[in-house]
Amino acid sequence: MASSRIPMRDERDSEAESSIPVADRMVALARYIESRPDESLSLADLGAVAGLSPSRVQRVFKEAFGVSPKAYQDALRLNLYKQGLKRGQTVTEAIYDAGFGSISRVYGKADRQVGMPPSRYGKGGEGETITYACRQSSLGLLMMAATDQGVCFAEFGDDEVALREQLKQEFPKARLSPSEAKMSPELDAWIVALDDHLSQNTPRPEVPLDIRGTAFQTRVWKLLLSVREGEVVSYTELARRLGEPKAVRAVASACGRNRIAVLIPCHRVLRSDGSLGGYRWGLDRKRKLLERECQGS
């Protein structure tokens, strides 16, 4: 009869390591956490799932994803929290439904991750008027939108209706107003200047930006503004400059969430091997932007 003895922790580590690569187990563990954002998961629980000791699962997970398992789960909870606010839940309802357990837990994380006070996050531009304009550029149809603080949206697309819908998704409660030159001369001047930059290689226009995102995303986007035209950096180097050398994946994710094309130059970030990596508006546009800037530098 086969023994039912449960292996000791170090024995399980050895057996697991011989059959499943650690990287694969970390991906599986991340999926496990994603399926249980509202559960209380200790390092001992996660170690049992991954077949590693609690201290090792903490270290290896952070090496793989740049954050601890706890921070990873907190980020998932924050996403649930934000979704709850956008569905119309009260702050308290959204906090408890997301699994935080107390109001102080999410308020304590506001400055670090949400980027604005929690009670305001779900407003989606409520009470604001966002003016937008579309223009054909050398890289396709461009929509630019601005609040009274500056440009909050600049995206490429193939269809004005789809671009307006994207703008609406980003700011669902704002009043969206098409630009009229007499009413919003600054916006019209900014989009013309950006088009001239794209088509005639004039200097990138220095326009005010209304940057909105989590605190981490905002740090990444502001750092991108320091990457000069003609210069490229890797996601790894960007993470190092940010002071978060292990947060390469998070940096790449923040670049992918940038909603202000060209003005926040996420196209200047490449993979460590020099390949293009990703780009929200298509690799062909990214390639053309880099070629143009290389020729002009």
Side-chain angles (χ1 to χ4, degrees):
M1 181 175 178
S3 171
S4 60
R5 182 180 67 88
I6 297 174
M8 297 297 290
R9 174 69 62 184
D10 57 348
E11 294 173 8
R12 291 205 305 271
D13 283 4
S14 177
E15 291 170 8
E17 285 173 358
S18 65
S19 58
I20 304 174
V22 172
D24 291 347
R25 277 181 284 158
M26 290 303 99
V27 171
L29 187 61
R31 299 293 174 263
Y32 180 86
I33 296 171
E34 288 168 7
S35 69
R36 295 162 174 81
D38 57 346
E39 292 184 17
S40 177
L41 299 174
S42 68
L43 286 175
D45 295 331
L46 298 178
V49 172
L52 298 170
S53 66
S55 60
R56 189 166 183 220
V57 79
Q58 168 92 337
R59 186 182 79 251
V60 176
F61 191 95
K62 192 166 185 178
E63 288 174 354
F65 297 105
V67 295
S68 68
K70 182 69 172 62
Y72 189 80
Q73 188 181 42
D74 279 344
L76 296 171
R77 287 173 172 171
L78 279 169
N79 284 333
L80 289 177
Y81 163 73
K82 297 171 192 175
Q83 291 169 15
L85 289 179
K86 290 182 178 179
R87 289 195 304 269
Q89 288 184 313
T90 67
V91 170
T92 301
E93 289 171 342
I95 285 172
Y96 284 101
D97 282 357
F100 277 107
S102 71
I103 294 176
S104 63
R105 290 279 307 284
V106 69
Y107 271 81
K109 296 175 187 299
D111 290 341
R112 180 166 56 85
Q113 296 189 43
V114 179
M116 61 183 71
S119 60
R120 291 180 51 205
Y121 190 92
K123 291 186 176 179
E126 183 178 358
E128 293 184 285
T129 296
I130 296 178
T131 306
Y132 67 91
C134 268
R135 185 182 181 92
Q136 280 293 342
S137 75
S138 61
L139 292 181
L141 188 64
L142 169 68
M143 176 175 283
M144 182 182 287
T147 65
D148 57 3
Q149 300 297 311
V151 174
C152 61
F153 180 99
E155 299 214 14
F156 295 105
D158 300 318
D159 177 81
E160 182 171 346
V161 173
L163 281 170
R164 190 184 186 283
E165 182 59 30
Q166 179 64 29
L167 177 63
K168 185 177 180 180
Q169 288 177 14
E170 296 286 356
F171 304 98
K173 297 183 180 179
R175 187 174 75 86
L176 304 182
S177 174
S179 173
E180 297 180 8
K182 291 181 180 179
M183 301 300 295
S184 51
E186 295 91 351
L187 177 62
D188 285 272
W190 295 338
I191 195 170
V192 169
L194 182 54
D195 183 29
D196 288 345
H197 169 67
L198 295 173
S199 60
Q200 302 175 31
N201 210 25
T202 59
R204 188 183 68 186
E206 297 295 330
V207 304
L209 301 177
D210 186 350
I211 298 176
R212 303 185 185 201
T214 67
F216 183 84
Q217 288 171 342
T218 301
R219 288 174 60 203
V220 173
W221 297 337
K222 289 183 176 179
L223 182 59
L224 283 170
L225 296 173
S226 70
V227 181
R228 298 184 301 275
E229 190 168 319
E231 178 188 5
V232 293
V233 297
S234 67
Y235 296 105
T236 300
E237 171 62 16
L238 200 63
R240 188 193 67 76
R241 293 186 188 184
L242 194 68
E244 305 279 357
K246 294 184 178 180
V248 178
R249 292 174 184 265
V251 164
S253 176
C255 289
R257 285 291 298 135
N258 173 33
R259 65 174 71 88
I260 305 178
V262 184
L263 298 174
I264 296 178
C266 59
H267 61 278
R268 296 174 186 161
V269 189
L270 309 177
R271 289 179 176 164
S272 296
D273 62 4
S275 59
L276 289 178
Y279 192 55
R280 183 168 179 157
W281 300 283
L283 292 183
D284 186 54
R285 286 191 177 101
K286 184 172 186 175
R287 185 180 297 106
K288 288 179 179 177
L289 281 166
L290 291 173
E291 288 175 351
R292 182 174 298 145
E293 290 181 351
C294 183
Q295 292 169 1
S297 62

